[in-house]
Amino acid sequence: MLFFSFHCASAPLRRSDLVAGYSRVGSVQMIVGLGNPGPRFAANRHNIGFQCLELLARRHAIALDKMQNKAMVGQGWVRAGGRHAKVLLVKPLTYMNLVGESVAPLARFYQVEPAQILVIHDDLDLESGRLRLRPGGSSGGQNGIKSLIERLGSQEFARARVGIGRPPGRMDPAAYVLQDFNADEEAIFGPLRARVADAAEMWLLDGMDIAM
């Protein structure tokens, strides 16, 4: 785990700028994975955001081990191709429809603008197994995104939409998203999680235009 405490002569670091070794000073981007907390939800379709965030954290040895403002957070560096970017990974522990209550205060504390945030989430209206990046826009009915827009006061944050498709027949969508991926789906979503992590790295290092 890497921690950061940067300072310069013109702007000395203040004690208020640190939380257990985490620095608010300097440019940092935020990646948020959406899901519901607790082991009973861990493998659900609705938790694909958590699953992708955890994979990204493992790749770069960033421990999501700091509890702050109703979220597990980890700060570190993403490195690829000789380049690097500082990132704050955020796993909100509120339920999906309340994630803005966790993320918005964290963004203010770490001085992260909406345009410096990428949110990874499931999307019922996107074909299962598809990944789509977008730089902003409406919630599209996704409750977590709706909460973020309300609390951030902006739609201008990036999203990585991970398609889980519509439920079969007349199945209630609320029940469908809370089911675990079946074996056939897992054969698709295992590699897809890696693609989402790749896209998040590209967003950090190259920006949304290149990542898209």
Side-chain angles (χ1 to χ4, degrees), residues 1-6 17 21-32 62 68 73-78 84-90 103 105-118 200 203-205:
M1 176 81 186
L2 298 174
F3 298 99
F4 307 95
S5 298
F6 295 107
D17 286 329
Y22 282 15
S23 173
R24 293 170 61 188
V25 176
S27 176
V28 63
Q29 297 176 87
M30 179 186 291
I31 299 179
V32 181
I62 300 174
Q68 186 180 356
V73 303
Q75 190 175 157
W77 293 97
V78 166
H84 62 274
K86 187 164 68 169
V87 67
L88 184 75
L89 303 183
V90 178
V103 174
L106 285 170
R108 288 193 294 271
F109 181 84
Y110 287 98
Q111 301 168 9
V112 177
E113 296 296 324
Q116 296 172 294
I117 299 173
L118 172 68
W203 173 80
L204 276 168
L205 296 168

Side-chain angles (χ1 to χ4, degrees), residues 8 44 52 56 64 87-88 94 100 102 107 113 128 147 160 163 187 192 201:
C8 63
N44 286 180
C52 295
L56 182 66
L64 293 161
V87 67
L88 184 75
T94 64
S102 172
E113 296 296 324
S128 183
S147 174
L192 181 59
E201 292 168 354

